[in-house]
mmCIF file with all atom_site columns, all heavy atoms in Angstrom:
data_model
loop_
_atom_site.group_PDB
_atom_site.id
_atom_site.type_symbol
_atom_site.label_atom_id
_atom_site.label_alt_id
_atom_site.label_comp_id
_atom_site.label_asym_id
_atom_site.label_entity_id
_atom_site.label_seq_id
_atom_site.pdbx_PDB_ins_code
_atom_site.Cartn_x
_atom_site.Cartn_y
_atom_site.Cartn_z
_atom_site.occupancy
_atom_site.B_iso_or_equiv
_atom_site.pdbx_formal_charge
_atom_site.auth_seq_id
_atom_site.auth_comp_id
_atom_site.auth_asym_id
_atom_site.auth_atom_id
_atom_site.pdbx_PDB_model_num
ATOM 1   N N   . GLU G 1 517 ? 11.087  -9.785 -1.773 1.00 87.00 ? 524 GLU G N   1
ATOM 2   C CA  . GLU G 1 517 ? 10.751  -8.417 -2.184 1.00 87.00 ? 524 GLU G CA  1
ATOM 3   C C   . GLU G 1 517 ? 10.900  -7.451 -1.018 1.00 87.00 ? 524 GLU G C   1
ATOM 4   O O   . GLU G 1 517 ? 11.299  -6.305 -1.184 1.00 87.00 ? 524 GLU G O   1
ATOM 5   C CB  . GLU G 1 517 ? 9.324   -8.359 -2.739 1.00 87.00 ? 524 GLU G CB  1
ATOM 6   C CG  . GLU G 1 517 ? 9.127   -9.146 -4.010 1.00 87.00 ? 524 GLU G CG  1
ATOM 7   C CD  . GLU G 1 517 ? 9.937   -8.593 -5.162 1.00 87.00 ? 524 GLU G CD  1
ATOM 8   O OE1 . GLU G 1 517 ? 10.116  -7.358 -5.217 1.00 87.00 ? 524 GLU G OE1 1
ATOM 9   O OE2 . GLU G 1 517 ? 10.399  -9.388 -5.998 1.00 87.00 ? 524 GLU G OE2 1
ATOM 10  N N   . GLY G 1 518 ? 10.569  -7.918 0.182  1.00 90.00 ? 525 GLY G N   1
ATOM 11  C CA  . GLY G 1 518 ? 10.685  -7.073 1.354  1.00 90.00 ? 525 GLY G CA  1
ATOM 12  C C   . GLY G 1 518 ? 9.540   -6.075 1.476  1.00 90.00 ? 525 GLY G C   1
ATOM 13  O O   . GLY G 1 518 ? 8.694   -5.949 0.591  1.00 90.00 ? 525 GLY G O   1
ATOM 14  N N   . ILE G 1 519 ? 9.528   -5.361 2.595  1.00 92.00 ? 526 ILE G N   1
ATOM 15  C CA  . ILE G 1 519 ? 8.512   -4.349 2.865  1.00 92.00 ? 526 ILE G CA  1
ATOM 16  C C   . ILE G 1 519 ? 9.197   -3.004 2.999  1.00 92.00 ? 526 ILE G C   1
ATOM 17  O O   . ILE G 1 519 ? 10.060  -2.809 3.855  1.00 92.00 ? 526 ILE G O   1
ATOM 18  C CB  . ILE G 1 519 ? 7.730   -4.660 4.165  1.00 92.00 ? 526 ILE G CB  1
ATOM 19  C CG1 . ILE G 1 519 ? 7.111   -6.057 4.099  1.00 92.00 ? 526 ILE G CG1 1
ATOM 20  C CG2 . ILE G 1 519 ? 6.673   -3.590 4.406  1.00 92.00 ? 526 ILE G CG2 1
ATOM 21  C CD1 . ILE G 1 519 ? 6.053   -6.219 3.047  1.00 92.00 ? 526 ILE G CD1 1
ATOM 22  N N   . VAL G 1 520 ? 8.819   -2.052 2.155  1.00 93.00 ? 527 VAL G N   1
ATOM 23  C CA  . VAL G 1 520 ? 9.424   -0.728 2.186  1.00 93.00 ? 527 VAL G CA  1
ATOM 24  C C   . VAL G 1 520 ? 9.005   -0.007 3.465  1.00 93.00 ? 527 VAL G C   1
ATOM 25  O O   . VAL G 1 520 ? 7.895   -0.162 3.959  1.00 93.00 ? 527 VAL G O   1
ATOM 26  C CB  . VAL G 1 520 ? 9.022   0.065  0.923  1.00 93.00 ? 527 VAL G CB  1
ATOM 27  C CG1 . VAL G 1 520 ? 7.539   0.368  0.919  1.00 93.00 ? 527 VAL G CG1 1
ATOM 28  C CG2 . VAL G 1 520 ? 9.824   1.350  0.814  1.00 93.00 ? 527 VAL G CG2 1
ATOM 29  N N   . GLN G 1 521 ? 9.941   0.775  4.019  1.00 94.00 ? 528 GLN G N   1
ATOM 30  C CA  . GLN G 1 521 ? 9.676   1.555  5.223  1.00 94.00 ? 528 GLN G CA  1
ATOM 31  C C   . GLN G 1 521 ? 10.054  3.017  4.955  1.00 94.00 ? 528 GLN G C   1
ATOM 32  O O   . GLN G 1 521 ? 10.956  3.279  4.169  1.00 94.00 ? 528 GLN G O   1
ATOM 33  C CB  . GLN G 1 521 ? 10.481  1.011  6.404  1.00 94.00 ? 528 GLN G CB  1
ATOM 34  C CG  . GLN G 1 521 ? 10.295  -0.459 6.697  1.00 94.00 ? 528 GLN G CG  1
ATOM 35  C CD  . GLN G 1 521 ? 8.906   -0.800 7.199  1.00 94.00 ? 528 GLN G CD  1
ATOM 36  O OE1 . GLN G 1 521 ? 8.183   0.071  7.697  1.00 94.00 ? 528 GLN G OE1 1
ATOM 37  N NE2 . GLN G 1 521 ? 8.524   -2.066 7.080  1.00 94.00 ? 528 GLN G NE2 1
ATOM 38  N N   . PRO G 1 522 ? 9.399   3.993  5.605  1.00 95.00 ? 529 PRO G N   1
ATOM 39  C CA  . PRO G 1 522 ? 8.286   3.759  6.520  1.00 95.00 ? 529 PRO G CA  1
ATOM 40  C C   . PRO G 1 522 ? 7.035   3.366  5.764  1.00 95.00 ? 529 PRO G C   1
ATOM 41  O O   . PRO G 1 522 ? 6.902   3.632  4.571  1.00 95.00 ? 529 PRO G O   1
ATOM 42  C CB  . PRO G 1 522 ? 8.115   5.120  7.203  1.00 95.00 ? 529 PRO G CB  1
ATOM 43  C CG  . PRO G 1 522 ? 8.575   6.096  6.180  1.00 95.00 ? 529 PRO G CG  1
ATOM 44  C CD  . PRO G 1 522 ? 9.727   5.438  5.474  1.00 95.00 ? 529 PRO G CD  1
ATOM 45  N N   . GLN G 1 523 ? 6.103   2.764  6.494  1.00 95.00 ? 530 GLN G N   1
ATOM 46  C CA  . GLN G 1 523 ? 4.829   2.382  5.922  1.00 95.00 ? 530 GLN G CA  1
ATOM 47  C C   . GLN G 1 523 ? 3.801   3.498  6.132  1.00 95.00 ? 530 GLN G C   1
ATOM 48  O O   . GLN G 1 523 ? 4.047   4.468  6.858  1.00 95.00 ? 530 GLN G O   1
ATOM 49  C CB  . GLN G 1 523 ? 4.343   1.074  6.536  1.00 95.00 ? 530 GLN G CB  1
ATOM 50  C CG  . GLN G 1 523 ? 4.849   -0.160 5.810  1.00 95.00 ? 530 GLN G CG  1
ATOM 51  C CD  . GLN G 1 523 ? 4.361   -0.203 4.370  1.00 95.00 ? 530 GLN G CD  1
ATOM 52  O OE1 . GLN G 1 523 ? 3.195   0.105  4.078  1.00 95.00 ? 530 GLN G OE1 1
ATOM 53  N NE2 . GLN G 1 523 ? 5.240   -0.584 3.451  1.00 95.00 ? 530 GLN G NE2 1
ATOM 54  N N   . SER G 1 524 ? 2.674   3.341  5.515  1.00 96.00 ? 531 SER G N   1
ATOM 55  C CA  . SER G 1 524 ? 1.638   4.365  5.642  1.00 96.00 ? 531 SER G CA  1
ATOM 56  C C   . SER G 1 524 ? 0.280   3.772  5.299  1.00 96.00 ? 531 SER G C   1
ATOM 57  O O   . SER G 1 524 ? 0.204   2.731  4.644  1.00 96.00 ? 531 SER G O   1
ATOM 58  C CB  . SER G 1 524 ? 1.935   5.552  4.704  1.00 96.00 ? 531 SER G CB  1
ATOM 59  O OG  . SER G 1 524 ? 0.931   6.536  4.790  1.00 96.00 ? 531 SER G OG  1
ATOM 60  N N   . ALA G 1 525 ? -0.760  4.414  5.776  1.00 97.00 ? 532 ALA G N   1
ATOM 61  C CA  . ALA G 1 525 ? -2.132  4.010  5.442  1.00 97.00 ? 532 ALA G CA  1
ATOM 62  C C   . ALA G 1 525 ? -3.001  5.251  5.407  1.00 97.00 ? 532 ALA G C   1
ATOM 63  O O   . ALA G 1 525 ? -2.787  6.198  6.176  1.00 97.00 ? 532 ALA G O   1
ATOM 64  C CB  . ALA G 1 525 ? -2.667  3.015  6.473  1.00 97.00 ? 532 ALA G CB  1
ATOM 65  N N   . THR G 1 526 ? -3.967  5.259  4.511  1.00 98.00 ? 533 THR G N   1
ATOM 66  C CA  . THR G 1 526 ? -4.905  6.377  4.392  1.00 98.00 ? 533 THR G CA  1
ATOM 67  C C   . THR G 1 526 ? -6.315  5.853  4.160  1.00 98.00 ? 533 THR G C   1
ATOM 68  O O   . THR G 1 526 ? -6.517  4.905  3.399  1.00 98.00 ? 533 THR G O   1
ATOM 69  C CB  . THR G 1 526 ? -4.504  7.322  3.242  1.00 98.00 ? 533 THR G CB  1
ATOM 70  O OG1 . THR G 1 526 ? -3.271  7.969  3.576  1.00 98.00 ? 533 THR G OG1 1
ATOM 71  C CG2 . THR G 1 526 ? -5.562  8.390  3.004  1.00 98.00 ? 533 THR G CG2 1
ATOM 72  N N   . VAL G 1 527 ? -7.261  6.487  4.826  1.00 98.00 ? 534 VAL G N   1
ATOM 73  C CA  . VAL G 1 527 ? -8.680  6.159  4.668  1.00 98.00 ? 534 VAL G CA  1
ATOM 74  C C   . VAL G 1 527 ? -9.403  7.417  4.200  1.00 98.00 ? 534 VAL G C   1
ATOM 75  O O   . VAL G 1 527 ? -9.185  8.504  4.739  1.00 98.00 ? 534 VAL G O   1
ATOM 76  C CB  . VAL G 1 527 ? -9.300  5.693  5.995  1.00 98.00 ? 534 VAL G CB  1
ATOM 77  C CG1 . VAL G 1 527 ? -10.793 5.442  5.832  1.00 98.00 ? 534 VAL G CG1 1
ATOM 78  C CG2 . VAL G 1 527 ? -8.603  4.441  6.502  1.00 98.00 ? 534 VAL G CG2 1
ATOM 79  N N   . ILE G 1 528 ? -10.244 7.279  3.186  1.00 98.00 ? 535 ILE G N   1
ATOM 80  C CA  . ILE G 1 528 ? -11.087 8.388  2.718  1.00 98.00 ? 535 ILE G CA  1
ATOM 81  C C   . ILE G 1 528 ? -12.541 7.981  2.916  1.00 98.00 ? 535 ILE G C   1
ATOM 82  O O   . ILE G 1 528 ? -12.961 6.919  2.449  1.00 98.00 ? 535 ILE G O   1
ATOM 83  C CB  . ILE G 1 528 ? -10.830 8.719  1.242  1.00 98.00 ? 535 ILE G CB  1
ATOM 84  C CG1 . ILE G 1 528 ? -9.348  9.041  1.014  1.00 98.00 ? 535 ILE G CG1 1
ATOM 85  C CG2 . ILE G 1 528 ? -11.694 9.894  0.801  1.00 98.00 ? 535 ILE G CG2 1
ATOM 86  C CD1 . ILE G 1 528 ? -8.995  9.299  -0.441 1.00 98.00 ? 535 ILE G CD1 1
ATOM 87  N N   . MET G 1 529 ? -13.299 8.840  3.607  1.00 98.00 ? 536 MET G N   1
ATOM 88  C CA  . MET G 1 529 ? -14.698 8.536  3.901  1.00 98.00 ? 536 MET G CA  1
ATOM 89  C C   . MET G 1 529 ? -15.614 9.672  3.459  1.00 98.00 ? 536 MET G C   1
ATOM 90  O O   . MET G 1 529 ? -15.216 10.840 3.440  1.00 98.00 ? 536 MET G O   1
ATOM 91  C CB  . MET G 1 529 ? -14.884 8.306  5.409  1.00 98.00 ? 536 MET G CB  1
ATOM 92  C CG  . MET G 1 529 ? -14.182 7.099  5.968  1.00 98.00 ? 536 MET G CG  1
ATOM 93  S SD  . MET G 1 529 ? -14.470 6.909  7.751  1.00 98.00 ? 536 MET G SD  1
ATOM 94  C CE  . MET G 1 529 ? -16.265 6.655  7.779  1.00 98.00 ? 536 MET G CE  1
ATOM 95  N N   . ASP G 1 530 ? -16.821 9.303  3.117  1.00 98.00 ? 537 ASP G N   1
ATOM 96  C CA  . ASP G 1 530 ? -17.907 10.270 2.991  1.00 98.00 ? 537 ASP G CA  1
ATOM 97  C C   . ASP G 1 530 ? -18.564 10.318 4.365  1.00 98.00 ? 537 ASP G C   1
ATOM 98  O O   . ASP G 1 530 ? -19.307 9.414  4.736  1.00 98.00 ? 537 ASP G O   1
ATOM 99  C CB  . ASP G 1 530 ? -18.901 9.825  1.926  1.00 98.00 ? 537 ASP G CB  1
ATOM 100 C CG  . ASP G 1 530 ? -20.041 10.822 1.734  1.00 98.00 ? 537 ASP G CG  1
ATOM 101 O OD1 . ASP G 1 530 ? -20.276 11.648 2.638  1.00 98.00 ? 537 ASP G OD1 1
ATOM 102 O OD2 . ASP G 1 530 ? -20.712 10.756 0.689  1.00 98.00 ? 537 ASP G OD2 1
ATOM 103 N N   . TYR G 1 531 ? -18.269 11.355 5.149  1.00 98.00 ? 538 TYR G N   1
ATOM 104 C CA  . TYR G 1 531 ? -18.711 11.361 6.552  1.00 98.00 ? 538 TYR G CA  1
ATOM 105 C C   . TYR G 1 531 ? -20.215 11.534 6.701  1.00 98.00 ? 538 TYR G C   1
ATOM 106 O O   . TYR G 1 531 ? -20.763 11.263 7.764  1.00 98.00 ? 538 TYR G O   1
ATOM 107 C CB  . TYR G 1 531 ? -17.964 12.427 7.350  1.00 98.00 ? 538 TYR G CB  1
ATOM 108 C CG  . TYR G 1 531 ? -17.996 13.834 6.762  1.00 98.00 ? 538 TYR G CG  1
ATOM 109 C CD1 . TYR G 1 531 ? -19.109 14.660 6.917  1.00 98.00 ? 538 TYR G CD1 1
ATOM 110 C CD2 . TYR G 1 531 ? -16.895 14.344 6.085  1.00 98.00 ? 538 TYR G CD2 1
ATOM 111 C CE1 . TYR G 1 531 ? -19.123 15.939 6.404  1.00 98.00 ? 538 TYR G CE1 1
ATOM 112 C CE2 . TYR G 1 531 ? -16.895 15.628 5.566  1.00 98.00 ? 538 TYR G CE2 1
ATOM 113 C CZ  . TYR G 1 531 ? -18.014 16.431 5.732  1.00 98.00 ? 538 TYR G CZ  1
ATOM 114 O OH  . TYR G 1 531 ? -18.014 17.704 5.232  1.00 98.00 ? 538 TYR G OH  1
ATOM 115 N N   . ARG G 1 532 ? -20.895 11.937 5.643  1.00 97.00 ? 539 ARG G N   1
ATOM 116 C CA  . ARG G 1 532 ? -22.355 12.084 5.735  1.00 97.00 ? 539 ARG G CA  1
ATOM 117 C C   . ARG G 1 532 ? -23.067 10.726 5.707  1.00 97.00 ? 539 ARG G C   1
ATOM 118 O O   . ARG G 1 532 ? -24.201 10.610 6.149  1.00 97.00 ? 539 ARG G O   1
ATOM 119 C CB  . ARG G 1 532 ? -22.865 12.955 4.586  1.00 97.00 ? 539 ARG G CB  1
ATOM 120 C CG  . ARG G 1 532 ? -22.347 14.381 4.629  1.00 97.00 ? 539 ARG G CG  1
ATOM 121 C CD  . ARG G 1 532 ? -22.726 15.152 3.370  1.00 97.00 ? 539 ARG G CD  1
ATOM 122 N NE  . ARG G 1 532 ? -22.139 16.478 3.355  1.00 97.00 ? 539 ARG G NE  1
ATOM 123 C CZ  . ARG G 1 532 ? -20.894 16.755 2.982  1.00 97.00 ? 539 ARG G CZ  1
ATOM 124 N NH1 . ARG G 1 532 ? -20.121 15.771 2.568  1.00 97.00 ? 539 ARG G NH1 1
ATOM 125 N NH2 . ARG G 1 532 ? -20.429 17.988 3.019  1.00 97.00 ? 539 ARG G NH2 1
ATOM 126 N N   . THR G 1 533 ? -22.400 9.732  5.150  1.00 96.00 ? 540 THR G N   1
ATOM 127 C CA  . THR G 1 533 ? -22.996 8.402  5.035  1.00 96.00 ? 540 THR G CA  1
ATOM 128 C C   . THR G 1 533 ? -22.211 7.335  5.789  1.00 96.00 ? 540 THR G C   1
ATOM 129 O O   . THR G 1 533 ? -22.693 6.222  5.963  1.00 96.00 ? 540 THR G O   1
ATOM 130 C CB  . THR G 1 533 ? -23.068 7.980  3.556  1.00 96.00 ? 540 THR G CB  1
ATOM 131 O OG1 . THR G 1 533 ? -21.740 7.921  3.021  1.00 96.00 ? 540 THR G OG1 1
ATOM 132 C CG2 . THR G 1 533 ? -23.902 8.981  2.753  1.00 96.00 ? 540 THR G CG2 1
ATOM 133 N N   . GLY G 1 534 ? -20.997 7.660  6.202  1.00 97.00 ? 541 GLY G N   1
ATOM 134 C CA  . GLY G 1 534 ? -20.128 6.664  6.835  1.00 97.00 ? 541 GLY G CA  1
ATOM 135 C C   . GLY G 1 534 ? -19.458 5.747  5.840  1.00 97.00 ? 541 GLY G C   1
ATOM 136 O O   . GLY G 1 534 ? -18.796 4.775  6.224  1.00 97.00 ? 541 GLY G O   1
ATOM 137 N N   . GLU G 1 535 ? -19.598 6.046  4.548  1.00 97.00 ? 542 GLU G N   1
ATOM 138 C CA  . GLU G 1 535 ? -19.067 5.164  3.512  1.00 97.00 ? 542 GLU G CA  1
ATOM 139 C C   . GLU G 1 535 ? -17.573 5.349  3.319  1.00 97.00 ? 542 GLU G C   1
ATOM 140 O O   . GLU G 1 535 ? -17.093 6.480  3.180  1.00 97.00 ? 542 GLU G O   1
ATOM 141 C CB  . GLU G 1 535 ? -19.797 5.398  2.185  1.00 97.00 ? 542 GLU G CB  1
ATOM 142 C CG  . GLU G 1 535 ? -21.274 5.029  2.236  1.00 97.00 ? 542 GLU G CG  1
ATOM 143 C CD  . GLU G 1 535 ? -21.981 5.271  0.921  1.00 97.00 ? 542 GLU G CD  1
ATOM 144 O OE1 . GLU G 1 535 ? -21.339 5.836  0.006  1.00 97.00 ? 542 GLU G OE1 1
ATOM 145 O OE2 . GLU G 1 535 ? -23.160 4.906  0.802  1.00 97.00 ? 542 GLU G OE2 1
ATOM 146 N N   . VAL G 1 536 ? -16.848 4.239  3.334  1.00 98.00 ? 543 VAL G N   1
ATOM 147 C CA  . VAL G 1 536 ? -15.423 4.247  2.997  1.00 98.00 ? 543 VAL G CA  1
ATOM 148 C C   . VAL G 1 536 ? -15.336 4.222  1.475  1.00 98.00 ? 543 VAL G C   1
ATOM 149 O O   . VAL G 1 536 ? -15.688 3.226  0.840  1.00 98.00 ? 543 VAL G O   1
ATOM 150 C CB  . VAL G 1 536 ? -14.704 3.032  3.603  1.00 98.00 ? 543 VAL G CB  1
ATOM 151 C CG1 . VAL G 1 536 ? -13.241 3.024  3.177  1.00 98.00 ? 543 VAL G CG1 1
ATOM 152 C CG2 . VAL G 1 536 ? -14.824 3.035  5.123  1.00 98.00 ? 543 VAL G CG2 1
ATOM 153 N N   . VAL G 1 537 ? -14.886 5.314  0.896  1.00 98.00 ? 544 VAL G N   1
ATOM 154 C CA  . VAL G 1 537 ? -14.873 5.404  -0.565 1.00 98.00 ? 544 VAL G CA  1
ATOM 155 C C   . VAL G 1 537 ? -13.526 4.990  -1.144 1.00 98.00 ? 544 VAL G C   1
ATOM 156 O O   . VAL G 1 537 ? -13.427 4.659  -2.332 1.00 98.00 ? 544 VAL G O   1
ATOM 157 C CB  . VAL G 1 537 ? -15.242 6.822  -1.043 1.00 98.00 ? 544 VAL G CB  1
ATOM 158 C CG1 . VAL G 1 537 ? -16.687 7.136  -0.671 1.00 98.00 ? 544 VAL G CG1 1
ATOM 159 C CG2 . VAL G 1 537 ? -14.311 7.874  -0.448 1.00 98.00 ? 544 VAL G CG2 1
ATOM 160 N N   . ALA G 1 538 ? -12.483 5.008  -0.306 1.00 97.00 ? 545 ALA G N   1
ATOM 161 C CA  . ALA G 1 538 ? -11.162 4.561  -0.763 1.00 97.00 ? 545 ALA G CA  1
ATOM 162 C C   . ALA G 1 538 ? -10.290 4.304  0.457  1.00 97.00 ? 545 ALA G C   1
ATOM 163 O O   . ALA G 1 538 ? -10.449 4.964  1.488  1.00 97.00 ? 545 ALA G O   1
ATOM 164 C CB  . ALA G 1 538 ? -10.508 5.606  -1.669 1.00 97.00 ? 545 ALA G CB  1
ATOM 165 N N   . LEU G 1 539 ? -9.397  3.344  0.337  1.00 96.00 ? 546 LEU G N   1
ATOM 166 C CA  . LEU G 1 539 ? -8.424  3.115  1.410  1.00 96.00 ? 546 LEU G CA  1
ATOM 167 C C   . LEU G 1 539 ? -7.214  2.383  0.862  1.00 96.00 ? 546 LEU G C   1
ATOM 168 O O   . LEU G 1 539 ? -7.316  1.586  -0.061 1.00 96.00 ? 546 LEU G O   1
ATOM 169 C CB  . LEU G 1 539 ? -9.034  2.351  2.585  1.00 96.00 ? 546 LEU G CB  1
ATOM 170 C CG  . LEU G 1 539 ? -9.498  0.902  2.415  1.00 96.00 ? 546 LEU G CG  1
ATOM 171 C CD1 . LEU G 1 539 ? -8.346  -0.078 2.623  1.00 96.00 ? 546 LEU G CD1 1
ATOM 172 C CD2 . LEU G 1 539 ? -10.588 0.574  3.424  1.00 96.00 ? 546 LEU G CD2 1
ATOM 173 N N   . VAL G 1 540 ? -6.072  2.696  1.436  1.00 96.00 ? 547 VAL G N   1
ATOM 174 C CA  . VAL G 1 540 ? -4.828  1.999  1.129  1.00 96.00 ? 547 VAL G CA  1
ATOM 175 C C   . VAL G 1 540 ? -4.196  1.613  2.453  1.00 96.00 ? 547 VAL G C   1
ATOM 176 O O   . VAL G 1 540 ? -4.087  2.434  3.360  1.00 96.00 ? 547 VAL G O   1
ATOM 177 C CB  . VAL G 1 540 ? -3.867  2.874  0.302  1.00 96.00 ? 547 VAL G CB  1
ATOM 178 C CG1 . VAL G 1 540 ? -2.482  2.258  0.264  1.00 96.00 ? 547 VAL G CG1 1
ATOM 179 C CG2 . VAL G 1 540 ? -4.389  3.045  -1.119 1.00 96.00 ? 547 VAL G CG2 1
ATOM 180 N N   . GLY G 1 541 ? -3.781  0.356  2.552  1.00 95.00 ? 548 GLY G N   1
ATOM 181 C CA  . GLY G 1 541 ? -3.258  -0.149 3.814  1.00 95.00 ? 548 GLY G CA  1
ATOM 182 C C   . GLY G 1 541 ? -1.772  -0.372 3.836  1.00 95.00 ? 548 GLY G C   1
ATOM 183 O O   . GLY G 1 541 ? -1.260  -1.055 4.720  1.00 95.00 ? 548 GLY G O   1
#
Side-chain angles (χ1 to χ4, degrees):
E524 295 296 326
I526 304 295
V527 67
Q528 305 293 339
Q530 272 298 318
S531 179
T533 293
V534 176
I535 303 177
M536 295 180 63
D537 181 341
Y538 53 79
R539 296 172 185 82
T540 61
E542 295 180 354
V543 177
V544 294
L546 66 86
V547 167

